[in-house]
Amino acid sequence: MSATGQIVPRKAVPRARGGVTQSVHDSLVVAQRNLIRMARIPEVVVFGLVQPIMFVVLFSYVFGGSIAVGGSTDPATYRQFLMAGIFAQTVTFATAGAGAGIADDMHKGLIDRFRSLPMARGAVLTGRTLADLVQTALTLVVLAIVAVIVGWRIHHGVPEALGGFALLLLLGYAFSWIGALIGLSVRTPEAATSGGLIWLFPLTFISNAFVPSDNMPVVLRTIAEWNPFSATVQAARELFGNLPAGYPVPGAWPMQHPVWASLIWSVLIIAVFRTLSVRKYRSATA
């Protein structure tokens, strides 16, 4: 039989997949690639743990007796109040790493290599954000252990506590899409790191993460009470049972219904910034 008449073995013919199936498969492959990369560079994970642990120790023991929560200046009360804020800050600060990683892949031309493959366009970004979510979850586990060591406790049941951690991770995943958009919009990983942190500091500090919002000026208090970061912090405190007796709950809707507010904010951020990121990715690599 001539070369043109050769029969191609059935196993050599690629099997067609649907759009959603291919997107999920490709996203998981990219996520696996990034997780393997993280495992081969353990210092990235280690250094990512140092900052939140420092925040736990510094805020707990330096400011613990100086900040009144629910009318009490007991350092133990403040530690219970503080930890949800530290958890939320940790998952959101991972945004800078996500943006820097994507900017680095763009800078090295790796994104162009992905473009040459028959894969879903959004899978590159989805896989990256999923890998960052796994790393954030591991960081959160270690941070929770450190929190228990310094005196933090969960006062409600395990299902409620798991719900609190799930909301924190969902917020971190939502913010990772903001980091993805920043990483696609700058030219260097250094710029992505700086751009990913500049807006996070006012977002996290104009909130109820470290101090009660009731003593803030009116404008800042309003911003803090409608801040998506504050909603997740408040929801985590409620689910962990960390709201001290006598703590005044603000009258703003997100503070009255923090679990729903946290879910709505996170889903909205994912919907908006995933769309913008994929669109930016297509235009940047076109």
Side-chain angles (χ1 to χ4, degrees):
M1 186 179 292
S2 63
T4 56
Q6 287 183 347
I7 299 176
V8 179
R10 182 178 297 273
K11 65 180 181 180
V13 179
R15 180 177 297 178
R17 294 192 294 265
V20 175
T21 303
Q22 181 179 1
S23 180
V24 172
H25 175 270
D26 295 344
S27 298
L28 293 177
V29 170
V30 175
Q32 183 182 23
R33 171 255 176 190
N34 283 284
L35 289 174
I36 293 174
R37 181 184 180 186
M38 291 175 186
R40 292 177 177 174
I41 313 176
E43 55 267 27
V44 175
V45 179
V46 173
F47 291 153
L49 288 170
V50 172
Q51 178 178 310
I53 291 175
M54 288 177 60
F55 271 110
V56 171
V57 176
L58 290 175
F59 275 87
S60 296
Y61 294 102
V62 175
F63 300 112
S66 303
I67 299 176
V69 179
S72 173
T73 56
D74 182 9
T77 301
Y78 181 69
R79 281 195 289 272
Q80 303 300 311
F81 174 86
L82 170 70
M83 284 315 307
I86 296 292
F87 291 151
Q89 184 191 52
T90 300
V91 300
T92 53
F93 270 43
T95 300
I102 291 174
D104 187 53
D105 288 344
M106 290 282 291
H107 184 69
K108 293 179 178 178
L110 185 63
I111 299 297
D112 291 332
R113 299 178 192 174
F114 283 133
R115 284 189 63 217
S116 65
L117 300 175
M119 61 187 300
R121 287 294 179 93
V124 175
L125 301 180
T126 302
R128 174 74 204 200
T129 55
L130 288 175
D132 289 331
L133 179 64
V134 173
Q135 181 180 353
T136 301
L138 295 176
T139 302
L140 205 56
V141 169
V142 176
L143 190 58
I145 294 173
V146 175
V148 171
I149 293 174
V150 300
W152 174 71
R153 295 293 183 269
I154 293 172
H155 300 286
H156 287 169
V158 173
E160 289 85 353
L162 292 177
F165 284 117
L167 287 177
L168 289 166
L169 290 174
L170 182 62
L171 180 71
Y173 183 69
F175 276 37
S176 69
W177 282 105
I178 302 178
L181 182 60
I182 293 173
L184 291 168
S185 303
V186 298
R187 297 182 179 181
T188 64
E190 293 79 8
T193 301
S194 300
L197 289 175
I198 289 175
W199 63 276
L200 279 174
F201 278 104
L203 184 79
T204 55
F205 282 93
I206 305 177
S207 72
N208 61 356
F210 308 112
V211 296
S213 61
D214 55 330
N215 291 327
M216 295 181 180
V218 176
V219 174
L220 293 182
R221 183 170 68 245
T222 303
I223 294 173
E225 291 173 356
W226 286 89
N227 186 342
F229 185 84
S230 295
T232 301
V233 171
Q234 187 77 359
R237 285 189 181 126
E238 284 194 2
L239 293 170
F240 294 152
N242 290 156
L243 285 175
Y247 178 75
V249 178
W253 187 87
M255 298 295 99
Q256 293 289 329
H257 307 87
V259 174
W260 281 109
S262 176
L263 285 171
I264 292 171
W265 272 119
S266 295
V267 171
L268 182 62
I269 292 170
I270 292 172
V272 172
F273 283 92
R274 187 185 189 281
T275 302
L276 294 175
S277 297
V278 173
R279 184 177 301 172
K280 183 69 176 179
Y281 170 79
R282 289 174 176 171
S283 64
T285 58

